[in-house]
Amino acid sequence: TGNATIVLLFATRKQLEAALEYTPFKFNYCLLILVGMELLLTLPVLIYYIIITMRFNCKRPTPDATISSSSQSVIPFSSPPPDLGFTTDTDTHNVEELLDKQADMIRYLQFHNANLGRKIMELQNQSRH
């Protein structure tokens, strides 16, 4: 509404200046009053919107990396065995054993990845404070 009123003032500028010629009230003062009223009306709304946005951002849920998964509740070994996932000439005939080793390695790497994600999130939270 403020922009439309300013356009209307500029459209009728000649008539307003002619009407206000003998008064101390000039065209520039009309513009200043209009912009000031628009500022006074919109400033409280903008402040209220900023407060609502800040409250919403404070209530955001925690990142997924901090939530423990049921598949990650099992504590695996601290480091993978050196022969995990690798085969020798004697292991090539036993495919099931190889698949089990690879599955163990995948579980370990998933758990390790989740732990690294949690550590990253903790460090980011510490750096913010």
Side-chain angles (χ1 to χ4, degrees), residues 67-81:
I67 300 171
S68 65
S69 171
S70 61
S71 65
Q72 297 166 354
S73 61
V74 178
I75 299 174
F77 36 87
S78 61
S79 65

Side-chain angles (χ1 to χ4, degrees), residues 13-87:
R13 181 176 181 172
K14 297 280 186 196
Q15 291 85 6
L16 281 173
E17 287 178 348
L20 300 173
E21 183 179 349
Y22 299 108
T23 63
F25 198 70
K26 300 293 180 195
F27 179 75
N28 292 341
Y29 295 140
C30 291
L31 288 176
L32 287 175
I33 289 172
L34 180 66
V35 171
M37 286 176 45
E38 187 177 3
L39 177 69
L40 288 176
L41 291 174
T42 58
L43 193 61
V45 174
L46 289 174
I47 291 173
Y48 180 69
Y49 179 73
I50 289 171
I51 291 171
I52 288 175
T53 304
M54 288 174 57
R55 286 181 186 164
F56 176 78
N57 288 336
C58 289
K59 292 179 183 178
R60 69 177 178 230
T62 57
D64 291 339
T66 60
I67 300 171
S68 65
S69 171
S70 61
S71 65
Q72 297 166 354
S73 61
V74 178
I75 299 174
F77 36 87
S78 61
S79 65
D83 64 340
L84 191 62
F86 299 105
T87 62

Side-chain angles (χ1 to χ4, degrees), residues 78-128:
S78 61
S79 65
D83 64 340
L84 191 62
F86 299 105
T87 62
T88 61
D89 291 335
T90 59
D91 288 338
T92 54
H93 67 278
N94 196 351
V95 177
E96 289 180 7
E97 184 179 336
L98 173 66
L99 292 176
D100 287 341
K101 287 180 180 181
Q102 288 178 347
D104 289 341
M105 182 62 142
I106 290 170
R107 270 189 246 114
Y108 167 76
L109 291 174
Q110 286 175 339
F111 182 80
H112 187 66
N113 190 20
N115 281 340
L116 288 176
R118 283 190 207 103
K119 287 179 184 179
I120 288 171
M121 297 308 294
E122 288 173 6
L123 290 173
Q124 283 178 345
N125 287 335
Q126 288 175 1
S127 67
R128 289 181 186 160

